[in-house]
Amino acid sequence: MNESAGHAAHHADAFRRLFWVALVLSVPVVIWSEHIQDLLGYAAPAFPGSAWIPAVLGTIVFAYGGRIFLSGAVQELRDRLPGMMTLIAMATLVAFLFSWIVQLGLLDATALWWELATLVTIMLAGHWIEMRSISGAQGALKELARLLPDRATRITEDGEERVPTSELREGDRILVRPGERIPADGHVREGESSVDEAAVTGESRPVRRGAGDAVTAGTVNGDGSLRIEVAAVGDGTRLAGVMRLVEQAQASRSRAQALADRAARVLTYVALVAAAVTFTAWSLTDAEPSVAVIRTVTVLVIACPHALGLAIPLVVAISTTLGARAGLLVRDRLGLEEARRVDTVVFDKTGTLTLGSHRVTRVVTDGSTDGSTDDRTEEDEALRLAAAAEADAEHPIARGIVASAEERNLDRPAASGFRSLPGKGVTAEVEGETIWVGGPSLLAHLEVEPSRALRDAADAAADEGRASVYLVRDGTVRALFVVADAVRDESAEAIAGLHDRGVRTLMLTGDARAVADAVARELGILEVRAE
């Protein structure tokens, strides 16, 4: 379709409203049309003024629904690029003027009210479908925009103040507390924390950031407070650059659309020439002058590309919908058309092959050696207690433990006396016992040692770049949770399916080498580009 200014300025909701109004009005136009009555052999109800129903309602459809095509045609003609809008406008305008000439008795012929109404309705349907597919893709931009917080804490000489993120300027100092999103690109001046950068870089594990390190807008601060000097705001941020790429992808047009535009442009000239030849030829015959006019109008109306006006939007909408359902962001629609030639698929890891959020991938209890029922019950009990203790924590790993317990449908007991130990873990009272959950620093803090089985499990997890979290109960290390960005259930099937078709697969990720290699081994991907 030709996305002229007159076309692109209208939102999908506007086309939807125009379509439904035109459709409702077109139904009586068709019912009371003499041509349709003769064709189907029925008689519409007759009452005073019923003969004017097609004319009145057809005029409303043309004026209300057809004005978009008229304004689009004007813009195309101004740009000297006649196309789809010009063809539609020409057909509807000619049909409208001709029908009123007939309606007023100035010409002995059959008015084209039902043809006019249905033409406008069909073309509105096509444009609504296309605009809906385009506006549906705006969801990607909205999701990216939500990564930025609405307000930020700016540090001033008088203390702190909460200001809209849009008021931040380069050089400002801001305070980002644990669990908050970083509102602008900048550099850490004071503090140290783990930052969840998965949404921007694909790094599944929180990254330690301290004085001098760069941080990115839209990422999530972890367990420490950061004082940041703003280096870029608004359109200058890295997140804004990603959003521009998404916008460019949405604005790209497929080869089918470009071909349709060229065909419509050529068809405009062909229709005008054919109409002129038709009028001239019939004028040279002995037929009535009205015959030449009727034939000319018929050529111009028929030249309107009904099928082209619906087929192209449907192709765009269906391909966009299927891609969105499959989680695909198409950067260029021409690329989508060339996808049938693909012999290599390069996968991102975080959020594509994996869930993009932490989950407990393995539970090891003290003395656990196999997958028996007793071991599973012991693992579930350990996870249940850990999730209770971590319920109020904001750290991504803590949220992963809680989510894993919920996915196993474990009954999480209430906890009290929750305390967070920065850099170590958390503690809380659960069912009358003191439960501690944390990493190796927690064990050093409590001066406890894990069993040999737990140490071996932790070493194996470290080799794969996965985090180990311990559960301490009654002064004893009772369990270890291996936490990582969990692989999606459908990823292995997808990779295997591509291999069966002879398609080469490769993983390209910003994540750590050990993590990437572990996921690749699990899925059977032989080539990895990490970090």
Side-chain angles (χ1 to χ4, degrees):
M1 301 295 293
N2 183 19
E3 295 175 355
S4 63
H7 178 190
H10 293 84
H11 192 267
D13 289 342
F15 275 102
R16 180 190 62 188
R17 185 168 53 253
L18 290 171
F19 165 74
W20 284 113
V21 171
L23 178 62
V24 170
L25 294 178
S26 296
V27 171
V29 173
V30 173
I31 292 175
W32 270 273
S33 167
E34 292 183 7
H35 182 207
I36 297 298
Q37 293 182 61
D38 293 340
L39 186 66
L40 300 181
Y42 73 92
F47 51 84
S50 61
W52 285 85
I53 289 178
V56 173
L57 296 185
T59 299
I60 296 175
V61 170
F62 173 76
Y64 181 71
R67 69 179 189 275
I68 287 181
F69 305 116
L70 295 176
S71 60
V74 170
Q75 185 62 50
E76 286 183 349
L77 294 175
R78 285 176 179 172
D79 296 337
R80 297 182 180 179
L81 292 172
M84 191 74 71
M85 288 291 192
T86 303
L87 272 173
I88 297 171
M90 183 171 64
T92 55
L93 182 60
V94 168
F96 173 73
L97 295 176
F98 175 80
S99 295
W100 266 115
I101 290 174
V102 173
Q103 189 73 29
L104 296 175
L106 302 178
L107 185 65
D108 184 17
T110 301
L112 302 176
W113 291 120
W114 80 268
E115 291 92 340
L116 169 65
T118 55
L119 174 59
V120 171
T121 302
I122 289 173
M123 289 305 171
L124 285 174
H127 283 69
W128 174 32
I129 292 171
E130 181 182 15
M131 293 303 293
R132 187 174 61 178
S133 71
I134 294 173
S135 64
Q138 297 292 331
L141 282 175
K142 292 178 181 177
E143 290 300 319
L144 287 173
R146 288 194 187 103
L147 293 179
L148 285 179
D150 294 329
R151 304 183 72 81
T153 302
R154 183 163 56 191
I155 301 173
T156 66
E157 294 180 356
D158 299 327
E160 302 174 2
E161 61 176 355
R162 293 287 289 175
V163 298
T165 300
S166 58
E167 292 185 9
L168 294 179
R169 297 293 180 266
E170 292 183 23
D172 283 350
R173 291 286 185 99
I174 56 175
L175 172 64
V176 182
R177 296 184 171 87
E180 292 183 340
R181 287 192 179 273
I182 297 174
D185 289 359
H187 295 87
V188 178
R189 293 306 177 211
E190 296 180 40
E192 184 176 354
S193 180
S194 58
V195 179
D196 183 357
E197 299 181 345
V200 178
T201 68
E203 177 72 50
S204 61
R205 293 183 299 175
V207 180
R208 297 302 296 181
R209 295 294 184 224
D213 291 336
V215 291
T216 305
T219 56
V220 183
N221 186 24
D223 52 9
S225 294
L226 296 176
R227 285 170 170 77
I228 300 169
E229 182 177 332
V230 176
V233 295
D235 291 339
T237 63
R238 186 174 182 179
L239 182 62
V242 174
M243 294 175 69
R244 281 193 293 272
L245 284 177
V246 175
E247 273 189 310
Q248 291 169 12
Q250 294 171 358
S252 67
R253 304 171 68 250
S254 70
R255 184 177 289 108
Q257 289 174 293
L259 181 62
D261 284 347
R262 290 197 297 272
R265 193 169 302 125
V266 172
L267 189 56
T268 301
Y269 299 123
V270 170
L272 291 174
V273 171
V277 170
T278 299
F279 182 79
T280 301
W282 280 98
S283 297
L284 296 176
T285 67
D286 295 333
E288 294 290 330
S290 60
V291 174
V293 175
I294 294 171
R295 299 295 187 275
T296 302
V297 170
T298 302
V299 168
L300 290 175
V301 173
I302 290 176
C304 184
H306 300 64
L308 202 60
L310 275 179
I312 300 304
L314 279 172
V315 169
V316 172
I318 291 172
S319 61
T320 302
T321 301
L322 291 176
R325 288 177 180 172
L328 295 175
L329 172 62
V330 180
R331 182 169 180 175
D332 191 313
R333 290 177 183 169
L334 287 175
L336 181 62
E337 293 181 1
E338 293 296 322
R340 68 186 187 279
R341 305 178 188 273
V342 165
D343 59 11
T344 301
V345 176
V346 181
F347 286 97
D348 176 40
K349 182 186 73 65
T350 306
T352 304
L353 295 174
T354 65
L355 293 174
S357 58
H358 289 83
R359 291 293 187 275
V360 175
T361 60
R362 187 184 178 199
V363 181
V364 183
T365 57
D366 191 19
S368 171
T369 57
D370 56 44
S372 68
T373 302
D374 290 342
D375 287 335
R376 179 66 185 217
T377 302
E378 193 174 348
E379 292 170 10
D380 286 350
E381 175 67 11
L383 183 56
R384 185 178 75 93
L385 295 175
E390 295 274 28
D392 292 336
E394 293 293 333
H395 196 281
I397 289 181
R399 292 197 294 269
I401 290 175
V402 174
S404 297
E406 292 175 347
E407 289 169 1
R408 290 195 185 190
N409 296 318
L410 299 180
D411 182 20
R412 190 179 73 225
S416 60
F418 171 83
R419 282 193 301 128
S420 176
L421 308 174
K424 298 181 180 65
V426 302
T427 181
E429 294 292 325
V430 182
E431 296 182 339
E433 295 182 275
T434 301
I435 301 296
W436 304 76
V437 183
S441 298
L442 176 66
L443 302 189
H445 174 71
L446 297 177
E447 298 181 347
V448 294
E449 289 287 336
S451 66
R452 178 61 180 271
L454 297 183
R455 284 200 304 271
D456 290 345
D459 291 341
D463 291 341
E464 296 178 347
R466 301 185 176 188
S468 295
V469 179
Y470 298 91
L471 171 71
V472 180
R473 179 183 182 188
D474 295 330
T476 304
V477 184
R478 294 299 183 88
L480 175 141
F481 309 102
V482 178
V483 182
D485 185 8
V487 173
R488 291 180 181 272
D489 294 337
E490 62 270 24
S491 294
E493 181 182 354
I495 297 299
L498 289 172
H499 288 172
D500 290 343
R501 290 168 172 79
V503 178
R504 170 181 168 229
T505 58
L506 184 146
M507 183 195 297
L508 181 69
T509 176
D511 213 339
R513 164 63 63 177
V515 176
D517 286 342
V519 173
R521 282 195 300 271
E522 184 174 346
L523 295 175
I525 297 176
L526 301 180
E527 298 180 69
V528 179
R529 303 288 187 272
E531 299 178 352

